[in-house]
Amino acid sequence: MHPSVWREFWVIVTIVAGGLLLGLILGRPFLGAAAGLILYIGANLRQLHLLHRWLLNRRRGEEVPEAEGLWGDVFKEIRKLVRQSGQREDRLTGMIERFQSAAAVMPDAVVIMAQHGEIEWANSAARRLLGIHFPRDAGMRLSNLLRDPDFTRYYQGGDYSEPFEMPSPSNLDVTLQVQVIPFGASQKLILARDVTRVVQLEQMRRTFVANASHELRTPLTVLSGYLETLHGMEAELPESLRQHFATMHEQATRMQRLVNDLLTLSRLETAPRTREEPVDVPALLAGLREQAELLSAGNHAITLEAQPDLSLLGSRDELHSAFSNLVNNAVRHTAKGGAIRLRWVADREGAKFSVEDTGEGIAPEHIPHLTERFYRVDTARSRASGGTGLGLSIVKHVLLRHDAELRIASELGQGSVFTCVFPGSRVIRAEIPARATPA
Ligand SMILES: Nc1ncnc2c1ncn2[C@@H]1O[C@H](COP(=O)(O)OP(=O)(O)OP(=O)(O)O)[C@@H](O)[C@H]1O
Ligand SMILES: [Mg+2]
C-alpha cells in the first residue's frame, strides 16, 4: 500500500481511538468513537466539496485547492496534470500559429475544407488566386465560390491522383494548377498555384517545334526534288560523285521523315481532338498486314487475328499512324525467319490491339523510356534502319487522345509484345458485312 494510504489509515485509527478514550472518560465509549468517525467523514466531505467546486470552476482559472494527507496527494497530482496539459496546449497552439503564419504568407493558395464540405480556413493568396476571402467566406460551400463546372466535377469525382488545371476565377489570364489532398476525417486541403508561366513556356515550345518543322519542310522538299532528279540521272554523273549523291539523297529522305514525324507529333499535341468516327479496325489491320508483308519481303511469318465485329470510336488516321508504327517496329526489330502476330480482341478491360514478335527484345531498363522522343535502344542501328526515334512517342500521344494505354512486355532475345488497351466506352460492336479475315 502507498505510504499516504497507510498514514490515512493511522489517522482514522487515532481519531477512533481518541473518540473511544474520550467516550470512556465520559462513560459513553461508542458514542465517542462514532463522534470521531463523523468528524473524519465531515473533514473528507469538505475536501470533496472543494474538489467538486474546483472542477466546476477550473475554466475560470481557479487554483487547485490545498490540503494535507491523502487529499493533499490527490490535489498535488491534479495540479501536476493541469500544468502538463497547459504546457501541451501552449505547444500545440504555438505550432498551429506558426503553421498558420507560414501558410498565410505562402505564394500558393491554401484552403482547408471542413468535414462537411465548408470552408474552414484560407490564406491571403486564396483571395488573389481563387477569390476566396477569409474570414468572410468561412463556412461557405466551395461550389458557391468556384463555379467552373469541370472543377466541380473533378472535386466531386474524388479521384485526386492528378492535379487539375483551370483559369483563375479572379483573373482569366492566370492558369492555376489545383491539387486536392484529403486528410483527417474527410477533411480536405486545397492547394492552388499559378502555373501561367509554365503553361506559356510549354505553349511556346510546342509552337516553336511546329513552326520550325513547318518552315523546314519546303526547302527540304525542293532539295529532295533536285536530289531525286540527280538520282535518276546516275548514269550521267561522274563515278566519283555517284556515292556522294546517293548519300545526300538518303539523308534528305531521312530528314524529311524526321520533319514529318515532328509535325505529326505537334499536331497530336496541339490540335483539338478531331471529330471522332467509328473506325473499322479489322479492315485497317488487314491493310497494315499487307504493308508489313511488303516491308518484310517474305522474311517473317505475319499473322492477323481480328474480331470482325469489333470497331472503335476514334480518328482513323491517328489510329493508322499508331498501329503502323508498332507493326513496322516489329518487322524492323525481328530477324529473318521470326514470327509477327497481330491481334485485335475484346475482353473485360475493353478492346486490345497487340503486336507480338519473336525479335531481339528490349532490356527492362529501356522499357520505361521507349515512348520518350528520340529514345532509341541502339541509336546507330536505329538510324541505319531509317528510324527517327519518334515512332513510339507518336503512339503514346495517339493513345492518350483515345483514352487508351500502351503496355510493353519484352524479354531480351525472346521477343516483345506491344499492347494498346482501349476503354470499353470506345468499343463499338457493329456487325460489318462478312469479310474473310486473313489469318
Ligand atoms: N518490336 C520491337 N522490338 C525491339 N525493340 C523495339 C521494338 N519496338 C521498338 N523498339 C525499340 O524502341 C526504340 C524506339 O522505337 P520508336 O518506334 O520510337 O523509334 P524507331 O523505330 O527507332 O524510329 P521511328 O520513329 O522511325 O519509329 C527503337 O529504336 C528500338 O530500339
Ligand atoms: Mg518505330
Side-chain angles (χ1 to χ4, degrees), residues 337-395:
I340 294 164
R341 194 165 154 223
L342 316 180
R343 288 184 81 219
W344 171 240
V345 288
D347 67 8
R348 262 185 306 118
E349 280 185 288
K352 287 180 182 160
F353 169 61
S354 62
V355 182
E356 191 178 341
D357 64 51
T358 57
E360 63 202 41
I362 305 155
E365 67 268 25
H366 293 297
I367 293 182
H369 303 289
L370 290 183
T371 55
E372 290 168 14
R373 279 154 207 238
F374 299 112
Y375 191 90
R376 280 165 291 199
V377 175
D378 182 343
T379 315
R381 253 195 66 186
S382 165
R383 279 209 190 114
S385 70
T388 61
L390 291 172
L392 290 177
S393 262
I394 293 177
V395 174

Side-chain angles (χ1 to χ4, degrees), residues 217-324:
R217 201 147 75 153
T218 319
L220 250 177
T221 314
V222 176
L223 269 177
S224 285
Y226 282 121
L227 285 168
E228 192 82 38
T229 319
L230 285 171
H231 198 58
M233 297 164 30
E234 216 166 283
E236 294 163 40
L237 289 173
E239 181 74 36
S240 56
L241 284 182
R242 239 179 253 170
Q243 186 52 41
H244 295 326
F245 275 113
T247 313
M248 279 165 81
H249 183 240
E250 196 183 290
Q251 292 301 321
T253 316
R254 196 170 103 74
M255 216 162 150
Q256 264 182 320
R257 247 202 319 266
L258 250 170
V259 166
N260 284 339
D261 277 0
L262 278 172
L263 269 173
T264 308
L265 256 181
S266 352
R267 247 195 314 269
L268 288 172
E269 272 187 340
T270 49
R273 289 192 189 192
T274 42
R275 214 168 48 82
E276 293 182 332
E277 47 178 354
V279 181
D280 183 354
V281 180
L284 188 147
L285 292 180
L288 275 183
R289 180 178 176 254
E290 276 169 28
Q291 272 181 33
E293 296 278 10
L294 280 177
L295 187 67
S296 149
N299 287 329
H300 307 95
I302 304 177
T303 56
L304 166 66
E305 175 197 327
Q307 256 176 264
D309 63 339
L310 195 59
S311 299
L312 201 60
L313 193 66
S315 150
R316 192 187 180 283
D317 290 346
E318 288 179 15
L319 289 173
H320 181 272
S321 153
F323 292 175
S324 76

Side-chain angles (χ1 to χ4, degrees), residues 77 130 184 198-199 388:
E77 287 306 316
L130 295 169
V198 181
V199 172
T388 61

Side-chain angles (χ1 to χ4, degrees), residues 54-206:
W54 173 78
L55 282 171
L56 292 180
N57 297 324
R58 72 183 192 283
R59 293 259 166 254
R60 284 188 227 139
E62 192 164 301
E63 286 294 318
V64 181
E66 299 274 353
E68 294 293 324
L70 192 57
W71 280 105
D73 269 16
V74 171
F75 290 155
K76 201 171 98 194
E77 287 306 316
I78 293 178
R79 221 171 284 130
K80 219 182 331 182
L81 281 177
V82 169
R83 204 177 327 117
Q84 281 170 355
S85 94
Q87 283 167 351
R88 218 176 8 244
E89 209 173 295
D90 287 349
R91 252 201 328 270
L92 279 175
T93 317
M95 242 163 75
I96 291 173
E97 273 168 8
R98 276 199 301 282
F99 164 77
Q100 282 201 344
S101 49
V105 294
M106 251 170 79
D108 298 345
V110 182
V111 182
I112 296 177
M113 302 300 297
Q115 214 166 343
H116 299 293
E118 68 274 4
I119 293 169
E120 188 175 314
W121 184 84
N123 68 352
S124 58
R127 180 181 318 172
R128 184 170 44 84
L129 297 175
L130 295 169
I132 295 175
H133 293 235
F134 184 80
R136 190 195 73 187
D137 296 337
M140 294 268 280
R141 298 195 77 79
L142 198 65
S143 50
N144 293 341
L145 299 167
L146 299 181
R147 289 167 184 278
D148 184 312
D150 288 336
F151 176 73
T152 308
R153 213 169 306 122
Y154 169 80
Y155 188 69
Q156 286 168 354
D159 175 11
Y160 308 127
S161 50
E162 292 289 326
F164 182 81
E165 264 182 31
M166 65 173 189
S168 159
S170 25
N171 180 358
L172 294 181
D173 292 332
V174 171
T175 307
L176 296 181
Q177 190 183 58
V178 186
Q179 198 140 23
V180 181
I181 305 149
F183 72 101
S186 63
Q187 280 161 279
K188 288 187 186 98
L189 179 72
I190 299 178
L191 296 176
R193 68 156 45 142
D194 181 349
V195 289
T196 318
R197 186 96 191 101
V198 181
V199 172
Q200 273 170 357
L201 281 174
E202 178 65 10
Q203 186 57 40
M204 268 162 69
R205 178 192 67 79
R206 285 191 196 136

Side-chain angles (χ1 to χ4, degrees), residues 15-82:
I15 288 175
V16 172
L20 205 68
L21 208 68
L22 210 69
L24 262 178
I25 295 169
L26 297 173
R28 309 289 285 268
F30 288 110
L31 205 67
L37 270 177
I38 290 171
L39 215 67
Y40 176 76
I41 292 172
N44 271 291
L45 269 177
R46 191 181 122 70
Q47 301 294 13
L48 200 62
H49 162 70
L50 288 178
L51 177 62
H52 182 239
R53 201 180 65 192
W54 173 78
L55 282 171
L56 292 180
N57 297 324
R58 72 183 192 283
R59 293 259 166 254
R60 284 188 227 139
E62 192 164 301
E63 286 294 318
V64 181
E66 299 274 353
E68 294 293 324
L70 192 57
W71 280 105
D73 269 16
V74 171
F75 290 155
K76 201 171 98 194
E77 287 306 316
I78 293 178
R79 221 171 284 130
K80 219 182 331 182
L81 281 177
V82 169

